[in-house]
Amino acid sequence: PFSGTHGGAVRDVALLPGVRMCASAGADGVVKLWEFAAGSGKEAATCLHSLTTSQAAVSALSLHATAKYLAAASDDGSFTVVGLDEGAALARALAPGGVALTCAQFHPDGLILGTGGADGVVRIWDVKSLTNAASFDSVPGAGAVRALAFSENGYHLASAAADGIVKLWDLRKLKSFAQIGDSDTPPGAVSSLAYDASAQFLAVAGEGGHVYTAKSCERLCSFTGSEPVAGVRFADKAQRVVALCKKHIVAYGAAS
């Protein structure tokens, strides 16, 4: 249980590695930083910082590779870089036209940030200058970007739009080189994407879950059947896939 909760729905949560802390994003435009106490009970978590980053709902959080910064993307088209040590907003940028941001993901090197918009555009931001360094457009009618994932080697980005099609982007050539699904056979609504640490496999979760080879997009296996999956990550050097379902968390067999 948490004391001092949000004044609306919780839209996203980010866990901080190595410490008993997490951050939460609310429909009230507030980002909260929590510390977990040992044990359990009504006061098991204490709010250390509460920061209003937007007048609109905060839609997504992404933790920087150093675990010292957090990006908070909002429905008003802005994203805020929060310093976790300071508990304060350090910088803020606005997407062109103020289009709502639906997801956000830091690159593994921490130098760039990817955001997905309600307009179906993936934007790459230089974190230091807060300038829009590149943009990737989905096909017309694809809908809002629902999920993003950078490969751990930093070369590729996967994005999924509301039409369920997953596109793979080469960050060096700034163009798409493959996709999963098409207008006739989309893989279904996508809620989460994840590369394994070797960047050989890509997990796609939404209406069920699937694992693909990251380059050829060959489907290797499926998991959870048709059960909706809210989140997915690889574990144990891609030997397991961990899926967050509606009522439980499940680990599935080898991906390789």
Side-chain angles (χ1 to χ4, degrees):
F2 287 42
S3 59
T5 54
H6 287 276
V10 175
R11 300 281 294 272
D12 200 7
V13 173
L15 296 176
L16 278 63
V19 294
R20 301 176 64 87
M21 299 174 69
C22 77
S24 60
D28 53 3
V30 175
V31 173
K32 291 178 179 283
L33 183 63
W34 304 87
E35 182 177 48
F36 300 100
S40 60
K42 188 176 181 180
E43 304 298 327
T46 302
C47 183
L48 300 179
H49 300 289
S50 183
L51 178 66
T52 299
T53 61
S54 171
Q55 297 303 308
V58 180
S59 55
L61 298 174
S62 180
L63 186 66
H64 191 269
T66 63
K68 293 184 177 181
Y69 309 102
L70 189 74
S74 302
D75 285 357
D76 65 0
S78 69
F79 70 84
T80 302
V81 179
V82 176
L84 295 177
D85 291 339
E86 303 87 346
L90 303 181
R92 188 172 185 267
L94 185 68
V99 61
L101 299 182
T102 51
C103 51
Q105 185 73 46
F106 272 115
H107 187 274
D109 68 10
L111 299 178
I112 60 175
L113 173 77
T115 61
D119 57 355
V121 178
V122 176
R123 294 179 173 86
I124 306 298
W125 301 83
D126 181 295
V127 173
K128 186 175 182 179
S129 65
L130 295 181
T131 54
N132 186 189
S135 296
F136 303 138
D137 294 345
S138 298
V139 296
V145 182
R146 298 299 189 192
L148 294 173
F150 285 104
S151 62
E152 289 298 321
N153 60 17
Y155 297 152
H156 299 147
L157 171 68
S159 67
D163 61 0
I165 295 175
V166 178
K167 296 184 76 69
L168 305 185
W169 306 90
D170 188 316
L171 296 175
R172 295 163 294 182
K173 298 179 180 179
L174 298 179
K175 66 178 184 179
S176 175
F177 67 91
Q179 71 178 42
I180 298 171
D182 55 37
S183 58
D184 295 324
T185 57
V190 175
S191 58
S192 182
L193 299 168
Y195 281 95
D196 77 303
S198 70
Q200 295 183 65
F201 308 111
L202 176 68
V204 179
E207 296 176 2
H210 313 282
V211 175
Y212 297 85
T213 55
K215 291 185 178 180
S216 63
C217 296
E218 176 188 356
R219 185 187 294 188
L220 297 177
C221 65
S222 298
F223 53 93
T224 78
S226 59
E227 182 178 7
V229 182
V232 65
R233 291 293 185 271
F234 284 98
D236 298 335
K237 297 181 180 180
Q239 293 302 303
R240 291 192 301 163
V241 179
V242 180
L244 173 63
C245 301
K246 185 176 182 180
K247 295 182 178 180
H248 51 265
I249 298 175
V250 186
Y252 295 89
S256 58

